[in-house]
Amino acid sequence: MGKLELAPVHFIDGKLYILDQTLLPEEEVYIELQNKEEVFDAIKTLKVRGAPAIGVAAGYGIYVSMRRELMSMPSSGYVQEDLMTFGGVLRDVCKYIGSARPTAVNLTWAAERMELAFKNSHATSIREAAKALLNEAVEIHSEDIQACRAMGEYGLSLLGSGMGILTHCNAGTLAASKYGTCLAPIYLGHEQGYEFHVYADETRPLLQGARLTAWELNREGIDVTLICDNMANTVMKQGLIDAVVVGCDRMTANGDGANKIGTSALAVLAKEYDIPFYMFVPTSSIDLNTLSGEDIEIEIRDEEEIRSLWYEKPMTPQEVKIFNPAFDVTPAKYITAIVTEKGIVRPPFDVNLKAIVNGEKQVEELDSSLEEF
Ligand code: MRU
């Protein structure tokens, strides 16, 4: 395997490779995932992370896990019986991998798609069933590549060259496909000669902003300044920020959006300073079945991520209590606009989100000036 293009997930010659993001920025190492335990662990420990990338990894991960499961599934001699067994094992694998992390909806969304692909295939052999799974995994991946590109174009229509842009966590190449979600307009603009000044929050406790966002923007030659999370107010007050762009792990029907812990504080600050706050949400991250952010399960992670993980020595005595929620919910009222791959959604989000997901209307066209002709 030669040098791979930077991406969280690669599927090459039937093998699933992920970039182990826990080793960044020091080492760029791709590891192969061969079974359901390895896929579960890679998602849980954030070797692969970011809502869309988790969905893509889950799709291929379910396919390779099923291939492995088949090795221990003896044939009954009857195709129908074998297909029923296959369906049962698939259900268990999807449920298991889908439970690795609770907040990003892309994980269960991808697992459900894989199960449905098998059901809808009406396969008459195990080979056909496996082919249906592979096709679906490839489809999830290619849809994500297209969605990121489209969000980049829509997002760029909201930004101008010279702008200062604040972002949180990592919703770039490492979190999705190629362009990422909220960093997509920055990459696209950069290709077209725009100059942006990006401020990346370090994003405690796992430092995705420092280790991943600052790293990936810097390697593309984009001007990026790293700040601690508690400096956002200062850069906004100093007039350095013209827009805030963030990703999303799950957006509910009313437009509330769960994203990395600390996102909602930025949204409140942005409102105070009258700075537009844009959430980039591929439709794969929109969960219309959940009514509001109150109903989103927030992942609680290991205490050691705060106490000791990134330090040579623990930063606080062992007996100090620690609370480590991985995400928070930004209420819809703080979001200026939601950028999806189908268009830009403006309030009222409850009505317009549903319309865009169901393809009823393109809420905001890329070039609205064309309407005058
Ligand atoms: O815990 P992580 O690193 O998976 O959290 C990632 C985020 O919060 C991202 O902003 C979100 O998944 C959107 S990624 C395009």
Side-chain angles (χ1 to χ4, degrees):
M1 205 168 56
K3 180 127 175 75
L4 294 176
E5 184 191 343
L6 183 72
V9 179
H10 281 284
F11 191 72
I12 305 167
D13 296 334
K15 294 183 177 170
L16 168 60
Y17 299 94
I18 57 139
L19 176 60
D20 183 348
Q21 298 191 31
T22 61
L23 302 177
L24 289 172
E26 287 85 17
E27 292 176 77
E28 211 175 310
V29 178
Y30 288 88
I31 53 170
E32 190 189 348
L33 306 179
Q34 298 185 338
N35 57 49
K36 61 180 191 287
E37 290 80 13
E38 287 176 1
V39 175
F40 181 94
D41 174 76
I43 294 173
K44 176 126 195 121
T45 60
L46 273 54
K47 289 188 178 80
V48 58
R49 46 143 304 279
I54 293 174
V56 173
Y60 289 125
I62 288 165
Y63 169 71
V64 297
S65 301
M66 282 306 290
R67 209 170 46 196
R68 175 57 64 91
E69 295 294 307
L70 275 174
M71 289 159 79
S72 56
M73 258 167 52
S75 170
S76 68
Y78 297 97
V79 177
Q80 277 317 316
E81 220 168 283
D82 289 350
L83 281 167
M84 270 176 66
T85 313
F86 184 94
V89 175
L90 176 64
R91 196 174 324 117
D92 292 345
V93 167
C94 289
K95 199 162 176 219
Y96 174 65
I97 291 178
S99 69
R101 296 185 76 187
T103 306
V105 70
N106 301 61
L107 182 55
T108 44
W109 167 85
E112 279 161 20
R113 270 185 69 161
M114 294 298 282
E115 244 195 287
L116 210 62
F118 164 66
K119 282 190 189 131
N120 291 343
S121 73
H122 305 294
T124 55
S125 68
I126 295 291
R127 199 183 161 76
E128 270 180 39
K131 184 93 180 77
L133 293 186
L134 178 57
N135 287 345
E136 192 65 9
V138 172
E139 184 58 27
I140 290 172
H141 194 182
S142 66
E143 281 174 21
D144 192 49
I145 295 171
Q146 287 164 27
C148 289
R149 169 83 203 195
M151 278 184 287
E153 284 172 10
Y154 284 116
L156 193 55
S157 72
L158 300 169
L159 306 176
S161 189
M163 275 188 169
I165 297 168
L166 178 65
T167 189
H168 191 66
C169 193
N170 173 265
T173 302
L174 293 166
S177 301
K178 202 165 163 80
Y179 288 94
T181 64
C182 83
L183 297 191
I186 293 169
Y187 284 124
L188 266 185
H190 182 67
E191 283 173 12
Q192 295 170 22
Y194 285 57
E195 281 178 18
F196 295 120
H197 309 291
V198 181
Y199 290 82
D201 276 351
E202 63 173 354
T203 318
R204 284 278 291 147
L206 292 178
L207 304 175
Q208 288 93 331
R211 295 186 304 109
L212 310 178
T213 297
W215 176 78
E216 65 163 80
L217 290 173
N218 183 57
R219 80 194 277 284
E220 288 302 319
I222 293 170
D223 178 58
V224 57
T225 304
L226 182 64
I227 58 169
C228 298
D229 299 327
N230 51 8
M231 297 170 187
N233 181 59
T234 295
V235 290
M236 287 188 187
K237 196 169 178 182
Q238 289 184 359
L240 298 171
I241 306 300
D242 300 295
V244 179
V245 300
V246 293
C248 179
D249 285 83
R250 185 186 295 252
M251 177 160 277
T252 54
N254 67 342
D256 291 349
N259 192 49
K260 181 54 54 194
I261 190 79
T263 302
S264 63
L266 293 183
V268 175
L269 276 177
K271 195 165 189 100
E272 173 66 23
Y273 289 106
D274 208 15
I275 297 168
F277 181 92
Y278 301 122
M279 201 167 236
F280 285 64
V281 193
T283 51
S284 57
S285 302
I286 298 176
D287 174 9
L288 291 180
N289 295 324
T290 304
L291 294 182
S292 87
E294 301 276 299
D295 302 317
I296 298 177
E297 182 182 350
I298 300 295
E299 177 182 9
I300 304 294
R301 293 188 62 87
D302 195 325
E303 294 180 4
E304 291 311 317
E305 291 180 347
I306 293 183
R307 187 183 284 116
S308 62
L309 188 64
W310 299 108
Y311 306 103
E312 281 181 14
K313 293 178 188 158
M315 276 299 114
T316 196
Q318 193 63 31
E319 59 274 19
V320 169
K321 286 188 281 182
I322 283 178
F323 177 48
N324 186 13
F327 300 95
D328 61 22
V329 174
T330 300
K333 66 176 180 182
Y334 292 108
I335 301 173
T336 311
I338 298 162
V339 182
T340 77
E341 77 277 22
K342 295 184 175 182
I344 298 168
V345 185
R346 301 271 179 184
F349 293 132
D350 52 351
V351 177
N352 290 340
L353 266 183
K354 203 165 151 211
I356 210 153
V357 169
N358 296 334
E360 283 159 20
K361 59 174 176 171
Q362 192 87 330
V363 174
E364 196 166 310
E365 295 292 345
L366 244 189
D367 191 352
S368 50
S369 63
L370 285 177
E371 284 162 15
E372 290 162 18
F373 291 86

